[in-house]
Amino acid sequence: ILNPKIDEIPPHCFDGSDIKSLVTNNITRIEDFAFLDCTKLTDITLNKVRDVGRGAFKGCSKLSKVNWEESF
């Protein structure tokens, strides 16, 4: 779970990190390539996300579950 004061994930923020799961409570935008090559990321919950940048999850080879709650 990300800090509730954050509303945007900037480009390349988590490049190649070991993050396994993501819950975005107050995030409204995920910028380009924010999670590039996060090969351990398996599931995400996108609450309130309205915009996902180009290649935001490129290379996330284990990403198998995406929950879109309140999005769009």
Side-chain angles (χ1 to χ4, degrees), residues 6-58:
I6 298 172
D7 64 357
E8 184 175 295
I9 298 176
H12 300 280
C13 184
F14 289 95
D15 277 9
S17 77
D18 290 335
I19 190 170
K20 295 178 184 177
S21 180
L22 173 70
V23 176
T24 61
N25 289 325
N26 293 315
I27 302 295
T28 58
R29 174 158 175 72
I30 298 174
E31 296 282 350
D32 297 346
F33 306 106
F35 294 91
L36 180 67
D37 294 327
C38 290
T39 57
K40 295 182 181 180
L41 183 61
T42 59
D43 61 276
I44 58 176
T45 299
L46 303 173
N47 298 321
K48 301 180 185 177
V49 171
R50 291 194 176 6
D51 191 22
V52 177
R54 180 179 44 126
F57 297 98
K58 183 176 181 178

Side-chain angles (χ1 to χ4, degrees), residues 42-45 62-67:
T42 59
D43 61 276
I44 58 176
T45 299
K62 292 186 181 178
L63 184 59
S64 60
K65 185 177 180 182
V66 179
N67 295 311

